[in-house]
Amino acid sequence: MEQIDAIVVGAGVVGLASAVAIARQGHSVCVLEREPRPGMGTSTHNSQVIHAGIYYPAGTLKAYHCVKGARLMYEFCGEHGVPHRRCGKLIVAGSPAEVPALEQLQRTGETNGVEGLTIVDRAFIAAREPHISVETALYSPNTGILEAEALIRTLARLCTHHDAAVLPASPLVGVDHAPNALEVRTPMETIRTRVLVNAAGLYADDVSAMAGGESFTIYPCRGEYAELTPSRRHLIHALVYPLPHAQGHSLGVHFSTTVHGSVTLGPTVRFQDRKDDYEGGRLDVDAFLGPAQQLVPELTRADLRLGGSGIRAKLHPAEQSFSDFKIGIDSRNPRLVQVAGIESPGLTSCLSIAEDVAGLVCRALA
């Protein structure tokens, strides 16, 4: 039986980044991934935005890891050639009544350590986004975009470079307790590990249960996207957001550019039972027309086409508005490190989270 210092369950951005950070500490590590290749889940089914840290309550893990993670991510993308752009973002007020909410977002962001946040007027907005029909917005100069698939490929390559094995098509099917270790079973083999890192995304609750860890529930929440047709992509230059979703479930249906020039509109919000249902009962393109016209009134239905979808791994049900990341050594199983509920801003935060995970693994191994 193979024996290793740490097994990471989940080869999304958080799992891969954690494996690299653990390996850099000198520990042997492998990553188990249920899908045929890394990054096929939430990590690549999102808006691909590097968030600044504006939205999250002060003192939360989301606020801390987003602000630190954004700095680390820009450095990482520059060093490793991951396509990215610090394009800036406008959060717009749909009416004068929404301006106080923008001012509150500015205060929250500044408390979190976000720099450069400014309330801007129509002239500023028109210079950046001439087709956006609003009078006031909050401008975040340090928000950006990246290519999520390229980030996954880079992290997987770094795993190989640091001798961290990534095992695709290897779902976790069971965990047995052994003296000073856990015996982790996949359909192909059993591996003995001193520490298990639960970065399993939508399946983190199932992994925790198998490992005898804390009981919690992941609530799958689907977000769907539309896209602007190629002839209308010129209408949006960077990132344009409304105020966040009133129930706290998303940052609102927004326009995002990608590093390859397409423009997406979304994501929507729908809690669902299945963790793997990306396509069942998809919204019609008409569902996106209203939100699109609130930001760009000249858009018509013919300017939109359906895009992709993603599923958020939420730690709270639809009737609640916020849950923080769950990161720490499990209270029931000291050989289990929990990294659960990593929804937005998880992509931005992954390198910062990975540093903390590596520290927790060192503590668990001591």
Side-chain angles (χ1 to χ4, degrees):
M1 184 186 302
E2 290 287 335
Q3 183 154 329
I4 202 166
D5 290 329
I7 289 177
V8 178
V9 183
V13 289
V14 172
L16 292 174
S18 296
V20 173
I22 294 164
R24 282 174 171 164
Q25 297 284 348
H27 301 300
S28 55
V29 57
C30 75
V31 184
L32 304 182
E33 170 54 46
R34 64 185 290 123
E35 301 295 345
R37 59 182 174 83
M40 292 183 67
T42 305
S43 294
T44 54
H45 290 76
N46 56 67
S47 300
Q48 303 185 90
V49 171
I50 303 174
H51 289 289
I54 300 167
Y55 301 96
Y56 316 106
T60 61
L61 291 175
K62 285 184 175 180
Y64 170 77
H65 285 299
C66 185
V67 174
K68 180 183 175 184
R71 175 178 56 81
L72 294 176
M73 186 60 72
Y74 282 120
E75 293 172 356
F76 182 92
C77 290
E79 179 181 356
H80 295 282
V82 175
H84 71 289
R85 182 160 62 96
R86 197 189 302 252
C87 58
K89 175 171 77 172
L90 292 172
I91 305 173
V92 304
S95 68
E98 292 185 341
V99 173
L102 287 185
E103 294 170 339
Q104 180 57 53
L105 281 180
Q106 181 183 22
R107 289 190 291 270
T108 300
E110 290 172 345
T111 299
N112 291 341
V114 181
E115 298 179 346
L117 298 177
T118 310
I119 300 291
V120 296
D121 60 12
R122 177 63 198 157
F124 185 97
I125 296 165
R128 287 186 59 86
E129 299 285 355
H131 299 277
I132 297 297
S133 180
V134 297
E135 299 298 320
T136 311
L138 175 63
Y139 176 56
S140 171
N142 287 314
T143 304
I145 57 176
L146 56 73
E147 184 187 336
E149 290 277 6
L151 177 62
I152 286 285
R153 291 194 299 269
T154 301
L155 290 170
R157 186 174 68 248
L158 288 173
C159 282
T160 300
H161 178 74
H162 291 284
D163 295 324
V166 179
L167 306 179
S170 298
L172 181 71
V173 297
V175 179
D176 300 316
H177 293 259
N180 302 315
L182 297 172
E183 294 182 355
V184 174
R185 289 181 280 114
T186 76
M188 287 75 70
E189 61 186 329
T190 298
I191 307 171
R192 180 171 290 181
T193 183
R194 296 169 63 196
V195 178
L196 184 66
V197 177
N198 179 11
L202 289 162
Y203 300 90
D205 50 353
D206 302 322
V207 169
S208 186
M210 278 190 276
E214 297 168 12
S215 177
F216 57 86
T217 300
I218 295 293
Y219 298 89
C221 181
R222 186 202 285 175
E224 301 180 27
Y225 291 87
E227 298 178 357
L228 292 188
T229 57
S231 65
R232 304 296 271 171
R233 290 172 180 171
H234 68 281
L235 297 177
I236 297 293
H237 296 153
L239 301 168
V240 182
Y241 282 55
L243 284 168
H245 191 272
Q247 300 301 317
H249 298 320
S250 81
L251 303 183
V253 174
H254 55 263
F255 282 112
S256 299
T257 55
T258 73
V259 294
H260 300 297
S262 60
V263 180
T264 64
L265 176 66
T268 55
V269 174
R270 187 175 80 180
F271 283 80
Q272 60 185 36
D273 294 328
R274 285 180 54 184
K275 299 178 178 182
D276 60 352
D277 181 8
Y278 290 86
E279 297 298 329
R282 285 290 303 268
L283 294 169
D284 186 83
V285 72
D286 289 329
F288 294 90
L289 184 57
Q293 290 177 331
Q294 288 180 7
L295 297 172
V296 184
E298 65 191 89
L299 286 173
T300 69
R301 188 185 190 280
D303 299 325
L304 301 174
R305 64 187 185 190
L306 287 182
S309 67
I311 304 176
R312 309 166 180 92
K314 287 187 173 290
L315 279 171
H316 64 81
E319 59 269 21
Q320 297 178 16
S321 61
F322 178 82
S323 58
D324 206 357
F325 294 153
K326 182 179 182 63
I327 303 171
I329 295 176
D330 189 85
S331 61
R332 295 182 182 176
N333 184 349
R335 297 193 176 277
L336 177 62
V337 174
Q338 299 281 13
V339 197
I342 311 298
E343 55 167 334
S344 181
L347 183 70
T348 303
S349 303
C350 66
L351 299 173
S352 178
I353 292 172
E355 289 186 356
D356 277 13
V357 170
L360 292 167
V361 168
C362 287
R363 278 176 49 195
L365 289 170

